[in-house]
Amino acid sequence: MLEVENLSKVYKSKKAVDGVNLYLDSGESIGLLGPNGAGKSTTISMMSTLIRPSDGDVRFKGKSILKQPDLVRPILGVVPQEIALYEELTAYENMKFFGRVYGLSGKKLDNKVEEVLELVGLKERKKEKIKGYSGGMKRRINIAVALMHQPELLIMDEPTVGIDPQSRNYILEMVRQLNQEKGMTVLYTSHYMEEVERLCDRIYIMDHGKVIASGTKDELKSILSGEETVLVEVQHKTNALANQIASLPSIQKVTEVEKGFKVIAPKGENIFTDVFRATEEAGVKLMGLHVQTPTLEDVFLHLTGRKLRD
Amino acid sequence: MWNVIKKDFLTISRDRSEVLVLLIMPFILIAILGFALGDLMSGTNGIEEIPVALVNEQDIDQAILDLEVDLRDQGIPNEIVADLIANIEDTDPATSFINFLTDPDLDDILAVSTDYDKESAMLALEEEEIAAIVIIPEQFSYHLLSALYLDEGTGSKVELVVQNKEQIQAGIVENIVQNFNDHFNFETSIIQATEGAAVQTDLDTVSFGETVSISMQDPVSAFQYYTIGMAVMFALYVASTVSANAFKEKKSHVFARLMITGETPLRYLFGKFTSAIFLTFLQLAILFSVSHLLFQTFENKNVEFWLVIGLITFVFSATVSTLAMLITSIALRFNNDTVSGIFSGGVITLFAFVGGSFTPVEQISPFIRELGNWTPNGAIMTAYLQMIQGFEISEILPMLYRVCGMAILFILLAVAIFPKRRLT
Ligand SMILES: Nc1ncnc2c1ncn2[C@@H]1O[C@H](COP(=O)(O)OP(=O)(O)O)[C@@H](O)[C@H]1O
Ligand SMILES: [Mg+2]
């Protein structure tokens, strides 16, 4: 449905997006995962005809949309990262305004407003001004506005940033429903790997403007198939211990976690005795050793040596 | 289009500080300035009618008879004499003069009374019941006509008696009489009553023509002046309000959202223009009507007056809207809204002063007035005031054309400055 080929965007001398390739098939739910500043929003802006790429192309059903943005605009719903709404207007007025901008009117418009309000669960509070809404409610109307014209492709840029878990769950469930029950194609951007893991069929991981890995959840995790993630629980975390573990030849990466350290090592290596010895030498009491199934977080850690959220 | 206007109207009308600036503030100022400066204005503009006594001492029938005899004595054939006399009966200079003084055009300036004879008029003048006496002497027409047809004598004189020549009111009457003289070319003598003896003044050497033509307009009341002054000043705030609002749309990414729907930046810019026209026109209509309801500002005005006021208001609304476009353009081009702040914080005050919103600047310096007429608000204020003073539309049009010129200039600048590429 939509193909992105070698897409780049250069700001001054900074490369915000650097040769990104990706595609979306009709009905798919695609995740774009990456830390802040990875270039996700810039990529999305280029895909949604808002900014011009420095290089590369975006094709909709085989035709470039750079010269003919109107090919894709009518079927495109974009939920921006920011709350792009009129704060002084009510939810209802915002939805009506954007509905009309999309050419809806009369009974059709009224019905659509009600339908979408139902979907985002804010029917009762539609007559309140946006500025009086909670963060979660604002996010929901931010999405609602993008759904007014029944888009085939919904692009969402971090739609759950800074809201309570309840609203977050509501939104995730809503997106799942739109994708699976209404057949809407979804491009979902986030720096929360749980969300992408839960919602998306395929995932692109971005960092520093580049796609560093892509595939289904399982494909991505198989990157780690040769490795094992072990949680080392200790009574006290000390720097000496961290250094000692890191210096062990069998261990690839060490990161600090709440109860101790997360350690990545190649499968088959027997690191248990090594870790055990290290704790003893450092005089720290070992509380437990757990082998974990890898998460996308681990994949990112493996690929970049950094955590998704720093 | 209505969708955008409605949205802009709702967003702005719900912002309390905007409503305060656009509607409440001008009212407070109209009320304060109107009441406080009301007396001052009427003093300088001579709003009260000047009471004048007109004493006609001549007998036109006798004058014609005398002239007829004189003409025959000259040996002119009877038929020609009859012709001349018939002609004179129609064009008696005294009658023309009386008609001139009692013309409806002068109603607002002169209250002419013919109820006095010479003595009672002098008495009334002393009591200051009247400001001047105009006397048409016994032989007025006879002398004038003799001079005209027989080339005899030196013509005729109207006598103007005033209490004190330096008085403004006396000066105005003098100007009016002089104005008539300029057309009929006879002399006027001015007698200063307090000094008893007649003092003849040669008015021909002094040109009062211009002053007279100003005195003949309808006077402008303080409430009219400040309703117009404040309205044109505060209408300018619509421009900065609309541009600030547009910048907010850009900042909150609503603008980006609109661009994704296929809206183009230029169409967006012209959308701001239509919103601003609507807002300004509405604001001015509210200001004018409420001012009229509260202070009876525009009493006794006919439909034609309101139609022209409507036209001027529309032209001004459009001009303010082109300013809104221009400021929006600059703010979006430089991605910085200080321009709206500079406009509302400094430019408007300066324009309002030069344009005469606070005080009739021509009294300070004619140069400032001339300068003020090159600001949109100043030029429009002049047009409004001319309309209130009863000018013909044709006399007002040049100011309107000038403002339209400014509007076109603003649009061209706005479009030239506007970033036409897709905005990021
Ligand atoms: N308009 C811009 N001008 C200059 N740099 C920009 C601009 N927009 C984004 N960037 C830079 O490009 C990089 C990618 O930004 P962005 O796409 O917003 O990342 P993400 O959405 O993944 O957090 C960041 O380093 C950001 O500072
Ligand atoms: Mg982003």
Side-chain angles (χ1 to χ4, degrees):
Chain A
M1 183 186 203
L2 203 67
E3 294 160 72
V4 169
E5 193 184 279
N6 201 22
L7 203 61
S8 297
K9 181 73 188 178
V10 183
Y11 287 117
K12 306 250 158 67
S13 56
K14 186 180 165 53
K15 271 204 156 172
V17 174
D18 187 2
V20 164
N21 291 287
L22 56 84
Y23 69 91
L24 286 89
D25 278 336
S26 198
E28 265 191 319
S29 168
I30 300 298
L32 194 55
L33 183 67
N36 281 327
K40 305 183 296 295
S41 299
T42 310
T43 306
I44 281 182
S45 294
M46 290 188 282
M47 290 171 71
S48 50
T49 72
L50 195 56
I51 60 176
R52 291 187 76 83
S54 311
D55 197 14
D57 202 356
V58 180
R59 275 192 292 270
F60 173 66
K61 297 187 174 155
K63 289 189 186 120
S64 170
I65 61 167
L66 298 186
K67 287 192 195 82
Q68 293 168 275
D70 288 332
L71 287 177
V72 73
R73 276 172 177 161
I75 62 103
L76 193 63
V78 179
V79 182
Q81 189 173 345
E82 303 80 12
I83 308 288
L85 298 170
Y86 293 102
E87 292 261 314
E88 296 284 342
L89 302 189
T90 65
Y92 180 77
E93 286 162 345
N94 267 288
M95 291 172 73
K96 276 215 141 172
F97 171 72
F98 284 104
R100 286 213 182 90
V101 169
Y102 272 111
L104 270 63
S105 61
K107 196 98 203 106
K108 217 173 150 189
L109 177 61
D110 291 339
N111 291 342
K112 195 70 200 171
V113 170
E114 292 305 315
E115 179 194 322
V116 176
L117 276 169
E118 182 92 47
L119 183 76
V120 299
L122 285 171
K123 215 168 182 169
E124 281 77 45
R125 312 197 52 177
K126 64 177 181 183
K127 298 273 180 193
E128 290 173 37
K129 287 184 198 172
I130 299 293
K131 68 174 175 192
Y133 274 11
S134 72
M137 289 159 71
K138 285 183 187 176
R139 286 275 165 206
R140 282 193 252 168
I141 295 298
N142 205 31
I143 297 170
V145 164
L147 295 173
M148 286 305 292
H149 59 301
Q150 189 94 35
E152 285 173 43
L153 170 59
L154 184 64
I155 298 183
M156 307 176 91
D157 196 352
E158 313 217 20
T160 60
V161 164
I163 59 175
D164 57 291
Q166 218 179 327
S167 286
R168 191 168 159 193
N169 255 323
Y170 191 101
I171 290 176
L172 292 178
E173 181 50 32
M174 193 170 91
V175 176
R176 196 199 58 77
Q177 212 180 319
L178 285 171
N179 174 238
Q180 304 201 335
E181 287 163 28
K182 303 244 164 92
M184 215 175 261
T185 311
V186 174
L187 177 62
Y188 191 96
T189 302
S190 181
H191 64 266
Y192 298 111
M193 57 97 196
E194 320 86 83
E195 294 184 349
V196 189
E197 212 170 338
R198 175 170 156 189
L199 287 175
C200 304
D201 307 325
R202 280 190 305 116
I203 297 157
Y204 292 86
I205 300 181
M206 275 189 86
D207 192 36
H208 293 309
K210 290 191 164 104
V211 171
I212 54 173
S214 63
T216 62
K217 265 172 284 189
D218 294 335
E219 282 168 0
L220 284 172
K221 284 177 185 173
S222 71
I223 295 175
L224 296 180
S225 62
E227 290 163 359
E228 222 162 28
T229 308
V230 178
L231 181 66
V232 182
E233 268 188 81
V234 290
Q235 205 164 31
H236 305 288
K237 289 179 278 188
T238 65
N239 278 340
L241 177 60
N243 290 336
Q244 199 139 17
I245 295 176
S247 69
L248 292 171
S250 54
I251 295 207
Q252 287 182 333
K253 276 190 187 96
V254 180
T255 38
E256 212 178 299
V257 292
E258 199 192 333
K259 288 176 176 167
F261 301 96
K262 201 180 214 179
V263 171
I264 295 176
K267 256 186 188 149
E269 289 276 342
N270 188 357
I271 64 160
F272 293 100
T273 46
D274 289 348
V275 169
F276 189 71
R277 206 170 295 138
T279 52
E280 257 186 352
E281 272 169 33
V284 175
K285 193 174 177 198
L286 183 67
M287 306 297 287
L289 278 171
H290 311 274
V291 178
Q292 294 188 319
T293 44
T295 62
L296 289 177
E297 182 88 45
D298 299 329
V299 174
F300 189 77
L301 188 68
H302 168 86
L303 292 169
T304 65
R306 287 178 291 115
K307 287 201 247 182
L308 263 173
R309 272 164 280 159
D310 282 321
Chain B
M1 192 175 89
W2 269 112
N3 196 27
V4 174
I5 293 176
K6 186 177 161 194
K7 177 259 299 172
D8 283 340
F9 171 74
L10 286 178
T11 31
I12 289 169
S13 67
R14 283 185 190 158
D15 187 334
R16 233 172 263 176
S17 61
E18 297 294 2
V19 175
L20 188 78
V21 169
L22 296 179
L23 287 177
I24 312 293
M25 288 270 287
F27 268 121
I28 295 172
L29 286 167
I30 290 169
I32 292 175
L33 293 170
F35 281 121
L37 304 178
D39 291 342
L40 190 97
M41 298 285 297
S42 52
T44 51
N45 275 18
I47 281 170
E48 280 167 49
E49 296 165 8
I50 304 166
V52 175
L54 176 66
V55 180
N56 187 358
E57 293 197 312
Q58 81 148 348
D59 181 347
I60 181 65
D61 296 333
Q62 187 59 50
I64 290 171
L65 282 180
D66 289 348
L67 191 69
E68 201 175 343
V69 173
D70 285 353
L71 289 169
R72 292 223 168 109
D73 286 352
Q74 295 274 319
I76 297 167
N78 273 353
E79 305 97 86
I80 298 177
V81 171
D83 254 11
L84 281 174
I85 294 300
N87 224 348
I88 290 164
E89 274 172 350
D90 291 339
T91 58
D92 172 33
T95 312
S96 307
F97 183 60
I98 292 167
N99 286 344
F100 172 74
L101 282 187
T102 52
D103 191 276
D105 270 356
L106 288 174
D107 258 5
D108 291 318
I109 302 164
L110 297 183
V112 178
S113 164
T114 50
D115 298 341
Y116 295 94
D117 61 20
K118 205 167 180 173
E119 277 89 285
S120 61
M122 289 303 275
L123 216 64
L125 185 66
E126 230 154 287
E127 297 292 317
E128 295 189 354
E129 283 165 25
I130 51 175
I133 309 168
V134 179
I135 300 169
I136 300 171
E138 233 170 300
Q139 303 278 47
F140 176 76
S141 291
Y142 174 71
H143 282 316
L144 191 70
L145 295 168
S146 306
L148 207 61
Y149 292 106
L150 304 170
D151 229 0
E152 272 176 17
T154 53
S156 192
K157 290 166 193 160
V158 170
E159 287 171 13
L160 178 66
V161 188
V162 296
Q163 187 66 257
N164 174 0
K165 214 175 156 280
E166 266 61 57
Q167 233 185 355
I168 296 173
Q169 292 185 324
I172 292 174
V173 179
E174 192 182 314
N175 292 346
I176 293 170
V177 173
Q178 171 65 24
N179 194 31
F180 183 76
N181 287 2
D182 288 345
H183 292 297
F184 279 79
N185 204 18
F186 54 77
E187 282 178 65
T188 311
S189 73
I190 292 189
I191 302 158
Q192 222 153 317
T194 41
E195 304 194 355
V199 178
Q200 210 147 322
T201 316
D202 184 9
L203 286 174
D204 288 344
T205 58
V206 193
S207 165
F208 291 101
E210 210 176 357
T211 329
V212 170
S213 79
I214 286 168
S215 306
M216 283 170 69
Q217 297 145 11
D218 294 351
V220 175
S221 77
F223 274 110
Q224 288 171 337
Y225 191 88
Y226 285 111
T227 297
I228 300 299
M230 291 301 117
V232 297
M233 168 178 176
F234 281 86
L236 292 177
Y237 282 103
V238 173
S240 50
T241 296
V242 166
S243 66
N245 224 46
F247 191 72
K248 228 163 90 186
E249 284 183 319
K250 172 83 194 304
K251 233 175 110 191
S252 68
H253 294 85
V254 178
F255 179 80
R257 192 160 225 167
L258 288 171
M259 292 305 120
I260 292 174
T261 67
E263 177 71 312
T264 66
L266 265 183
R267 261 212 320 260
Y268 170 85
L269 188 63
F270 279 94
K272 290 293 147 200
F273 174 77
T274 49
S275 290
I277 281 201
F278 175 80
L279 286 168
T280 317
F281 198 87
L282 186 71
Q283 178 205 28
L284 291 170
I286 292 175
L287 286 178
F288 290 159
S289 15
V290 179
S291 166
H292 180 60
L293 288 178
L294 291 181
F295 312 120
Q296 289 80 49
T297 309
F298 304 105
E299 257 183 321
N300 306 323
K301 301 292 186 188
N302 59 16
V303 177
E304 195 207 334
F305 172 83
W306 285 113
L307 282 178
V308 178
I309 290 289
L311 172 74
I312 300 175
T313 306
F314 181 78
V315 169
F316 188 47
S317 304
T319 310
V320 169
S321 309
T322 59
L323 266 174
M325 279 172 77
L326 178 57
I327 305 171
T328 303
S329 236
I330 297 173
L332 293 187
R333 169 70 175 260
F334 298 103
N335 206 12
N336 187 324
D337 199 27
T338 38
V339 60
S340 300
I342 291 173
F343 187 77
S344 62
V347 176
I348 290 183
T349 318
L350 187 71
F351 274 25
F353 174 75
V354 176
S357 283
F358 300 118
T359 175
V361 278
E362 56 272 28
Q363 290 172 7
I364 301 172
S365 134
F367 171 72
I368 299 184
R369 173 75 272 164
E370 194 41 47
L371 198 68
N373 279 346
W374 287 99
T375 63
N377 55 305
I380 281 295
M381 182 159 183
T382 301
Y384 274 127
L385 292 179
Q386 285 176 336
M387 193 57 206
I388 291 174
Q389 288 172 316
F391 277 52
E392 294 296 318
I393 298 174
S394 57
E395 294 173 279
I396 299 173
L397 279 179
M399 268 310 161
L400 290 186
Y401 289 148
R402 179 185 292 192
V403 176
C404 291
M406 294 184 206
I408 291 168
L409 179 73
F410 294 149
I411 290 188
L412 292 179
L413 279 176
V415 172
I417 292 172
F418 197 69
K420 278 159 287 288
R421 301 292 275 158
R422 270 175 264 169
L423 296 161
T424 56

